Amino acid sequence: MKKLIVDIRHPAHLNFFRPVLYKLKSEGWIIDIVAIDRGRVYKIAKKEYADFKVTKIGVHRGTKFSIIFEANILRFFQMFFFLLKKKYNIGISVSSFILGSAAKLNGIPNLQFYDDPEYKKHVRLQKLTSSKTYYPKIKDFGPEIETFNALKEWAYLSPRYFNPDPSVLEDYNLLGKKYIFVREVINTSFNYSNQASNLVATISDKFPKEYKVLLSLEDKKTKNLYPDNWCILQEPLRDIHSLMYYSDIMISSGDSMAREAALLGVPAIYCGIREMTANKKLIDLNMLFHITSTKVPDFLKDYIDKKVTVTEQETFRKKLLNEWEDVSLFIEKKIIEFAK
């Protein structure tokens, strides 16, 4: 009987592996999930993967000490001894050097998936700690890294795996396409350490008054910075992607959920600082718009006035379905191949 370990460090990582984990579980695989205690990651993992064993390994408190020592050095030793007690056939992660290095030292093959080649140190660490690394086909990586023809979020947002549920609108007394979805990330992570905090908050008073606003706020302690009539979501949610799907437009200071919205056929504004090759695919398809936060209010006005033209939602998703690869099937094939 095959045994698989999955390392989760971000909520999006849970979604990325969801289809393939349930498929392998139905085929008799034993699957263990380990998650870091970072924000609500572990709690979300426990709720969304109630059918699996979820173990907390490591903590990330947002401070420099916690990032360096607790989330990396200490977590490595915790992971190493956790693997030492088990006999896994393979490990998978979204660029987890901790699982990768601990697995290698325990003689366990591990596969790492990622989509951010801008950080060259990350790429080098992936090559060093993984048995194989996989990226979307967004540039020429050379022979050491294999690619798949899609963005990684397509693994769970493709129409093969995601169908929107309109009943979620009732939970918030909403009408489809009559509200704006907003995501505000914290800037304590490595990726956003140089980004100003609460970017959307600085322009929140300029949002169109005729729209309701749903706010996915990573740091709930800053809720007083946003308008009182904005609905602050309390994660984990029943179906966040359906809420995104039925929104009219999405504004995000983080890149992950901006890409998710665009893949759902929802025009997405990304106002963060990162220039990402992965984003360019969706920018070129005119579904993701990378602009500074100060320009967002004018863009919103143009969009509402129909001065911004985008492809109809389901037409856009069907186009991607026809042209892009089934990422979950790709992941499954690679797991089976290496587990042998």
Side-chain angles (χ1 to χ4, degrees):
M1 189 170 290
K2 301 292 186 181
K3 293 181 67 177
L4 168 70
I5 183 169
V6 188
D7 188 17
I8 302 297
R9 299 175 299 106
H10 189 282
H13 302 172
L14 283 166
N15 296 320
F16 179 63
F17 291 121
R18 184 187 306 281
V20 71
L21 293 187
Y22 274 96
K23 174 85 182 305
L24 292 175
K25 187 175 188 295
S26 71
E27 295 172 355
W29 281 64
I30 294 174
I31 298 172
D32 288 342
I33 297 172
V34 296
I36 193 168
D37 188 5
R38 173 190 180 188
R40 297 182 66 85
V41 171
Y42 174 67
K43 290 181 180 178
I44 295 173
K46 287 282 287 183
K47 179 181 178 181
E48 295 194 4
Y49 278 89
D51 298 330
F52 297 80
K53 182 180 179 182
V54 181
T55 303
K56 179 168 60 179
I57 295 184
V59 63
H60 184 309
R61 305 177 201 273
T63 64
K64 286 187 178 179
F65 170 81
S66 182
I67 293 170
I68 295 170
F69 180 73
E70 293 181 306
N72 283 284
I73 298 172
L74 181 58
R75 190 169 193 256
F76 164 75
F77 286 104
Q78 292 170 330
M79 187 78 74
F80 175 82
F81 287 109
F82 182 83
L83 297 183
L84 194 61
K85 300 173 186 176
K86 311 279 186 175
K87 292 186 178 181
Y88 292 106
N89 297 95
I90 190 167
I92 58 173
S93 68
V94 177
S95 189
S96 173
F97 316 134
I98 302 302
L99 174 62
S101 53
K104 272 207 162 184
L105 289 172
N106 277 285
I108 303 167
N110 82 97
L111 309 181
Q112 295 182 29
F113 300 82
Y114 208 42
D115 63 350
D116 195 353
E118 283 73 28
Y119 289 119
K120 292 181 172 55
K121 288 183 180 178
H122 278 213
V123 179
R124 287 196 292 270
L125 280 169
Q126 286 155 7
K127 291 178 180 178
L128 182 66
T129 61
S130 70
S131 303
K132 191 71 176 181
T133 301
Y134 305 93
Y135 274 72
K137 193 180 292 183
I138 51 180
K139 60 172 285 186
D140 182 10
F141 292 99
E144 292 181 85
I145 292 178
E146 193 172 337
T147 60
F148 50 89
N149 183 32
L151 294 182
K152 69 178 177 63
E153 294 83 3
W154 195 240
Y156 54 95
L157 293 179
S158 161
R160 292 186 181 94
Y161 304 105
F162 173 76
N163 290 301
D165 178 4
S167 72
V168 298
L169 299 174
E170 300 169 9
D171 297 345
Y172 301 90
N173 194 27
L174 296 169
L175 294 174
K177 304 304 175 185
K178 297 296 182 182
Y179 62 94
I180 297 170
F181 195 107
V182 174
R183 169 66 169 173
E184 187 83 276
V185 300
I186 57 175
N187 62 351
T188 57
S189 68
F190 177 80
N191 288 342
Y192 285 103
S193 58
N194 295 321
Q195 179 169 298
S197 60
N198 307 108
L199 284 178
V200 182
T202 63
I203 55 164
S204 59
D205 61 328
K206 297 181 175 64
F207 273 54
K209 306 303 180 189
E210 66 270 26
Y211 276 77
K212 289 187 176 182
V213 178
L214 294 187
L215 172 60
S216 174
L217 182 61
E218 194 165 9
D219 182 6
K220 300 293 192 293
K221 295 176 184 176
T222 64
K223 63 182 180 181
N224 62 305
L225 300 177
Y226 303 85
D228 292 337
N229 63 342
W230 282 23
C231 175
I232 298 177
L233 300 170
Q234 300 298 321
E235 292 85 1
L237 303 175
R238 176 162 74 93
D239 190 346
I240 191 170
H241 293 114
S242 287
L243 284 174
M244 292 168 65
Y245 177 90
Y246 288 110
S247 66
D248 192 36
I249 190 168
M250 200 265 202
I251 295 95
S252 178
S253 58
D255 58 278
S256 296
M257 287 182 70
R259 283 194 302 277
E260 287 183 332
L263 289 174
L264 290 169
V266 175
I269 300 171
Y270 169 53
C271 58
I273 62 171
R274 301 185 68 201
E275 297 285 345
M276 297 184 65
T277 311
N279 289 350
K280 192 174 184 303
K281 268 185 175 283
L282 293 167
I283 291 171
D284 291 346
L285 291 170
N286 206 46
M287 196 59 74
L288 180 65
F289 304 88
H290 190 184
I291 58 179
T292 60
S293 56
T294 55
K295 294 181 180 179
V296 169
D298 286 339
F299 186 96
L300 276 175
K301 186 178 185 304
D302 287 344
Y303 175 75
I304 293 168
D305 292 340
K306 307 297 182 185
K307 294 179 181 177
V308 178
T309 304
V310 295
T311 306
E312 189 274 329
Q313 189 167 23
E314 281 306 305
T315 301
F316 179 80
R317 283 172 55 73
K318 287 176 183 175
K319 172 183 169 64
L320 296 185
L321 182 64
N322 291 331
E323 296 179 359
W324 284 10
E325 195 167 354
D326 184 335
V327 183
S328 286
L329 184 60
F330 177 89
I331 297 170
E332 180 186 4
K333 288 178 178 177
K334 298 304 173 183
I335 290 173
I336 293 171
E337 175 186 331
F338 274 85
K340 291 178 180 178

